[in-house]
mmCIF file of all heavy atoms in Angstrom:
data_model
loop_
_atom_site.group_PDB
_atom_site.id
_atom_site.type_symbol
_atom_site.label_atom_id
_atom_site.label_comp_id
_atom_site.label_asym_id
_atom_site.label_seq_id
_atom_site.Cartn_x
_atom_site.Cartn_y
_atom_site.Cartn_z
ATOM 1 N N TRP A 19 -5.547 1.439 -2.086
ATOM 2 C CA TRP A 19 -4.863 2.665 -2.438
ATOM 3 C C TRP A 19 -5.763 3.498 -3.296
ATOM 4 O O TRP A 19 -6.446 2.988 -4.216
ATOM 5 C CB TRP A 19 -3.571 2.368 -3.190
ATOM 6 C CG TRP A 19 -2.725 3.540 -3.589
ATOM 7 C CD1 TRP A 19 -2.435 4.660 -2.891
ATOM 8 C CD2 TRP A 19 -2.139 3.739 -4.947
ATOM 9 N NE1 TRP A 19 -1.633 5.498 -3.587
ATOM 10 C CE2 TRP A 19 -1.488 4.951 -4.915
ATOM 11 C CE3 TRP A 19 -2.093 2.994 -6.069
ATOM 12 C CZ2 TRP A 19 -0.783 5.443 -5.929
ATOM 13 C CZ3 TRP A 19 -1.471 3.539 -7.149
ATOM 14 C CH2 TRP A 19 -0.782 4.721 -7.132
ATOM 15 N N CYS A 20 -5.708 4.866 -3.084
ATOM 16 C CA CYS A 20 -6.659 5.742 -3.759
ATOM 17 C C CYS A 20 -6.093 6.093 -5.156
ATOM 18 O O CYS A 20 -6.835 6.613 -5.998
ATOM 19 C CB CYS A 20 -6.847 7.031 -2.986
ATOM 20 S SG CYS A 20 -5.320 7.984 -2.698
ATOM 21 N N GLY A 21 -4.763 5.845 -5.380
ATOM 22 C CA GLY A 21 -4.172 6.187 -6.668
ATOM 23 C C GLY A 21 -3.415 7.479 -6.651
ATOM 24 O O GLY A 21 -2.831 7.826 -7.686
ATOM 25 N N GLU A 22 -3.476 8.235 -5.562
ATOM 26 C CA GLU A 22 -2.796 9.535 -5.463
ATOM 27 C C GLU A 22 -1.282 9.281 -5.262
ATOM 28 O O GLU A 22 -0.860 8.514 -4.402
ATOM 29 C CB GLU A 22 -3.354 10.331 -4.303
ATOM 30 C CG GLU A 22 -4.759 10.784 -4.535
ATOM 31 C CD GLU A 22 -4.883 11.876 -5.612
ATOM 32 O OE1 GLU A 22 -3.917 12.596 -5.848
ATOM 33 O OE2 GLU A 22 -5.972 11.881 -6.166
ATOM 34 N N ALA A 24 0.661 11.310 -3.939
ATOM 35 C CA ALA A 24 1.025 11.866 -2.600
ATOM 36 C C ALA A 24 1.009 10.719 -1.571
ATOM 37 O O ALA A 24 1.874 10.692 -0.655
ATOM 38 C CB ALA A 24 0.071 12.948 -2.201
ATOM 39 N N CYS A 25 0.050 9.823 -1.662
ATOM 40 C CA CYS A 25 -0.020 8.753 -0.772
ATOM 41 C C CYS A 25 1.136 7.771 -0.917
ATOM 42 O O CYS A 25 1.636 7.205 -0.001
ATOM 43 C CB CYS A 25 -1.369 7.993 -0.913
ATOM 44 S SG CYS A 25 -2.748 8.938 -0.363
ATOM 45 N N GLU A 26 1.440 7.563 -2.150
ATOM 46 C CA GLU A 26 2.610 6.669 -2.462
ATOM 47 C C GLU A 26 3.859 7.232 -1.815
ATOM 48 O O GLU A 26 4.664 6.538 -1.248
ATOM 49 C CB GLU A 26 2.764 6.524 -3.991
ATOM 50 C CG GLU A 26 3.715 5.424 -4.353
ATOM 51 C CD GLU A 26 3.925 5.385 -5.840
ATOM 52 O OE1 GLU A 26 3.117 5.931 -6.629
ATOM 53 O OE2 GLU A 26 4.926 4.751 -6.241
ATOM 54 N N CYS A 51 -8.446 4.108 1.111
ATOM 55 C CA CYS A 51 -6.958 4.129 0.974
ATOM 56 C C CYS A 51 -6.344 3.911 2.358
ATOM 57 O O CYS A 51 -6.740 4.549 3.349
ATOM 58 C CB CYS A 51 -6.563 5.460 0.335
ATOM 59 S SG CYS A 51 -4.796 5.730 0.283
ATOM 60 N N ALA A 52 -5.258 3.120 2.400
ATOM 61 C CA ALA A 52 -4.590 2.844 3.674
ATOM 62 C C ALA A 52 -3.783 4.079 4.107
ATOM 63 O O ALA A 52 -3.410 4.179 5.215
ATOM 64 C CB ALA A 52 -3.689 1.735 3.497
ATOM 65 N N CYS A 53 -3.544 5.039 3.201
ATOM 66 C CA CYS A 53 -2.762 6.172 3.554
ATOM 67 C C CYS A 53 -3.577 7.374 4.003
ATOM 68 O O CYS A 53 -3.365 7.929 5.022
ATOM 69 C CB CYS A 53 -1.932 6.669 2.325
ATOM 70 S SG CYS A 53 -0.843 5.301 1.718
ATOM 71 N N CYS A 54 -4.599 7.745 3.139
ATOM 72 C CA CYS A 54 -5.276 8.976 3.418
ATOM 73 C C CYS A 54 -6.715 8.729 3.902
ATOM 74 O O CYS A 54 -7.376 9.647 4.388
ATOM 75 C CB CYS A 54 -5.289 9.842 2.161
ATOM 76 S SG CYS A 54 -6.225 9.117 0.829
ATOM 77 N N GLY A 55 -7.229 7.561 3.724
ATOM 78 C CA GLY A 55 -8.574 7.280 4.209
ATOM 79 C C GLY A 55 -9.682 7.687 3.205
ATOM 80 O O GLY A 55 -10.860 7.569 3.530
ATOM 81 N N LYS A 56 -9.249 8.144 2.042
ATOM 82 C CA LYS A 56 -10.240 8.489 1.060
ATOM 83 C C LYS A 56 -10.624 7.247 0.276
ATOM 84 O O LYS A 56 -9.981 6.162 0.460
ATOM 85 C CB LYS A 56 -9.654 9.503 0.046
ATOM 86 C CG LYS A 56 -9.667 10.890 0.611
ATOM 87 C CD LYS A 56 -9.236 11.811 -0.518
ATOM 88 C CE LYS A 56 -8.142 12.893 -0.019
ATOM 89 N NZ LYS A 56 -7.454 13.501 -1.026
ATOM 90 N N LYS A 57 -11.602 7.341 -0.540
ATOM 91 C CA LYS A 57 -12.094 6.148 -1.277
ATOM 92 C C LYS A 57 -10.978 5.545 -2.151
ATOM 93 O O LYS A 57 -10.298 6.237 -2.893
ATOM 94 C CB LYS A 57 -13.277 6.548 -2.130
ATOM 95 C CG LYS A 57 -13.958 5.357 -2.748
ATOM 96 C CD LYS A 57 -15.422 5.738 -3.092
ATOM 97 C CE LYS A 57 -16.104 4.583 -3.785
ATOM 98 N NZ LYS A 57 -16.093 3.290 -3.055
HETATM 99 ZN ZN1 ZN B 1 -4.755 7.847 -0.512
#
Side-chain angles (χ1 to χ4, degrees):
W19 179 47
C20 62
E22 293 292 330
C25 289
E26 193 184 342
C51 173
C53 304
C54 66
K56 283 187 225 162
K57 190 157 174 54

